[in-house]
Amino acid sequence: MTDLSADPQTERRMNRIDLITGGVFAVLGLAIVYLSWTMPRLEMRGIHPATVPGLVPGLLGLALAFCGVVLGLKAYREGRGAGGWSDLLALFRTEEAGRFCAVAGLALVYALVLVGRLPFWLASAAFVFAFIVVFETWLSPEPRSLLRSTFLALVQGVIVGVVVTLVFQYGFLVRLP
């Protein structure tokens, strides 16, 4: 494996990415804080202030915003005088960027399409199945047999879908869609 920190051009690119990522995390964290603040507090039902629905998401949003600011400041300090934006755009043409897009695409399909339209266990099983097949056969540096990967992905998908559903329903007492 190569040491990426030895390449100054890669360092500059990564600082740009960290700066943008830090900004995105800070904005996302602040949006979560705002949305948590606007959630109903349920004081008319006598709910204790420490158990309001938006408390934990709000605290997590604050933590995310803080981490985003820290990441952005670090990247800004280390990347002053860095190369132009063409260095940054070169990162989007790498294998890692393709894998990231595949993960993001699969996660979005799972969250926005499958969950709510299929039983939760089936949506989760389909997600795990697709994830394993995509990353073991098409996006792997050493692709495995499609037949073997499909079989193992099917078994793992069903197991994960059922176990996660049972844990959430009976362990955490959460009703799933």
Side-chain angles (χ1 to χ4, degrees):
M1 193 155 183
T2 60
D3 182 18
L4 294 178
S5 63
D7 181 13
Q9 187 176 9
T10 302
E11 286 262 342
R12 289 193 306 268
R13 289 181 191 159
M14 294 308 290
N15 280 331
R16 292 276 191 199
I17 288 287
D18 285 350
L19 183 62
I20 292 170
T21 303
V24 168
F25 283 160
V27 169
L28 180 63
L30 292 175
I32 291 170
V33 168
Y34 171 75
L35 292 171
S36 298
W37 184 260
T38 60
M39 287 181 78
R41 290 186 176 58
L42 307 173
E43 54 273 323
M44 71 288 270
R45 292 190 177 172
I47 301 292
H48 189 274
T51 62
V52 296
L55 181 64
V56 172
L59 293 174
L60 292 174
L62 278 174
L64 182 63
F66 175 76
C67 290
V69 168
V70 169
L71 178 64
L73 288 174
K74 176 188 168 291
Y76 177 75
R77 274 188 285 124
E78 291 180 5
R80 274 187 266 180
W85 289 99
S86 62
D87 287 343
L88 172 66
L89 295 177
L91 282 177
F92 292 104
R93 294 186 293 269
T94 62
E95 287 181 30
E96 291 82 7
R99 288 188 191 109
F100 171 79
C101 289
V103 169
L106 286 169
L108 287 172
V109 167
Y110 174 68
L112 300 177
V113 177
L114 298 179
V115 173
R117 289 188 174 87
L118 296 175
F120 186 80
W121 72 268
L122 184 57
S124 297
F127 172 75
V128 170
F129 172 80
F131 198 95
I132 291 171
V133 169
V134 166
F135 280 91
E136 280 194 355
T137 59
W138 296 310
L139 295 178
S140 174
E142 299 172 10
R144 297 196 176 136
S145 161
L146 179 61
L147 184 61
R148 183 172 189 270
S149 290
T150 302
F151 175 72
L152 292 175
L154 183 63
V155 170
Q156 290 177 17
V158 170
I159 290 170
V160 168
V162 170
V163 168
V164 166
T165 300
L166 292 175
V167 166
F168 271 86
Q169 284 184 339
Y170 299 109
F172 299 132
L173 302 176
V174 174
R175 283 190 305 149
L176 298 171

